[in-house]
Amino acid sequence: RDYKRAFSSIAKNMRSMFLHAYQSYLWNNVASHRIESGGSTEVRVGDLVLVENKSAEKGGGGTSGLKGKAVKMVEEEDLTDSKYSITDVVLPLAGSKIRYPGGSAGDLFDELMKKDGICKADFARIGNVDREIALGGDYRKLICKPGDVSFEVKAYKDPVQPLLQTDLMKVKGVEVTATTLCSSKEKEGQSPTKNEGDQERNDDTIFGMVVGFSLPPSSYATIALRELTRRPTSSEYQSKLELSGNCERNIV
């Protein structure tokens, strides 16, 4: 069977997606293991930390790529000096030009690859044989903190009514009817904006929260919301939610 020829028949951009998906598969499994075994608050020996990350203007690679990036492996003396925080910790996207972490996280990369019949050295060999599917690798933060965080707690009646004014609503002069009960503006000493036509609250009232935040490149809002709500983002879970009453009543 000519697997290489079959794979080459796939469009180049689609071939890249297969490769990047495998990188993500490895990264996600190792990230889950690192949090489960080492926690989400402390740096530990063997972790990789990003010590240099130049912007594109300063000669770096911008939002992706290894150019302008440098990592080091955390040692015992780094913990004693409290030199790094958990937000400095990175994990590699597998490739031929990256460094792998130490400890059980590094071992798990080997175990996962072995199950698929490959090893770390194969990434360099593949690049030498076919440059089109060469993967140098990259680094991604294990944990990042959202910036510009804001929130509004809303009370409303219709489960499908918008809680934010869309561009179309602005054009048509349609206002949001949900009532703002409290917001992050109160925390900052500002008066929250109350919507016109505040609704009486009773047993039919639905409470919701509008959350705003910004994230760095290669971070995903869906994952941030999953961590905030402690609820799955999978389509299987979301499809079972009900619009009224106990929204999770159909979930075992």
Side-chain angles (χ1 to χ4, degrees), residues 25 69 97-98 104 110 115 148 151 165 194 206:
Y25 158 75
K69 292 180 181 178
K97 298 179 181 179
I98 51 88
S104 59
D110 288 319
K115 287 180 181 178
D148 307 315
F151 71 87
Q165 190 180 38
K194 295 286 184 179
I206 303 170

Side-chain angles (χ1 to χ4, degrees), residues 51-124:
V51 294
E52 186 176 42
N53 188 16
K54 294 180 180 178
S55 65
E57 293 77 15
K58 295 183 179 180
T63 59
S64 63
L66 289 171
K67 189 177 180 182
K69 292 180 181 178
V71 299
K72 71 158 289 184
M73 188 176 292
V74 174
E75 300 174 354
E76 195 68 47
E77 62 184 35
D78 297 316
L79 300 183
T80 304
D81 299 338
S82 299
K83 194 172 183 180
Y84 303 105
S85 71
I86 191 66
T87 55
D88 295 317
V89 176
V90 295
L91 286 174
L93 290 171
S96 60
K97 298 179 181 179
I98 51 88
R99 184 177 184 182
Y100 289 91
S104 59
D107 293 338
L108 185 56
F109 272 107
D110 288 319
E111 292 171 17
L112 292 171
M113 290 182 194
K114 185 177 180 180
K115 287 180 181 178
D116 294 319
I118 63 173
C119 65
K120 295 171 182 174
D122 287 333
F123 287 94

Side-chain angles (χ1 to χ4, degrees), residues 73-228:
M73 188 176 292
V74 174
E75 300 174 354
E76 195 68 47
E77 62 184 35
D78 297 316
L79 300 183
T80 304
D81 299 338
S82 299
K83 194 172 183 180
Y84 303 105
S85 71
I86 191 66
T87 55
D88 295 317
V89 176
V90 295
L91 286 174
L93 290 171
S96 60
K97 298 179 181 179
I98 51 88
R99 184 177 184 182
Y100 289 91
S104 59
D107 293 338
L108 185 56
F109 272 107
D110 288 319
E111 292 171 17
L112 292 171
M113 290 182 194
K114 185 177 180 180
K115 287 180 181 178
D116 294 319
I118 63 173
C119 65
K120 295 171 182 174
D122 287 333
F123 287 94
R125 285 196 289 269
I126 290 170
N128 292 332
V129 174
D130 189 344
R131 294 188 62 184
E132 282 195 0
I133 58 174
L135 292 174
D138 203 348
Y139 298 101
R140 294 284 183 267
K141 294 259 187 174
L142 177 65
I143 290 177
C144 64
K145 293 182 178 180
D148 307 315
V149 178
S150 64
F151 71 87
E152 290 182 340
V153 177
K154 302 277 190 177
Y156 56 106
K157 300 288 186 181
D158 184 351
V160 297
Q161 76 180 78
L163 301 183
L164 289 172
Q165 190 180 38
T166 65
D167 290 339
L168 183 60
M169 290 171 67
K170 292 177 182 178
V171 171
K172 293 185 174 181
V174 178
E175 297 294 328
V176 174
T177 58
T179 301
T180 301
L181 302 179
C182 65
S183 74
S184 53
K185 292 181 179 179
E186 291 178 326
K187 300 285 186 180
E188 299 167 359
Q190 303 177 35
S191 299
T193 302
K194 295 286 184 179
N195 297 314
E196 295 296 329
D198 285 358
Q199 309 166 24
E200 288 187 15
R201 296 196 291 278
N202 52 42
D203 291 341
D204 296 328
T205 300
I206 303 170
F207 298 97
M209 179 180 285
V210 177
V211 182
F213 52 84
S214 60
L215 292 170
S218 301
S219 304
Y220 299 92
T222 49
I223 302 304
L225 291 173
R226 183 192 70 183
E227 294 303 303
L228 177 65

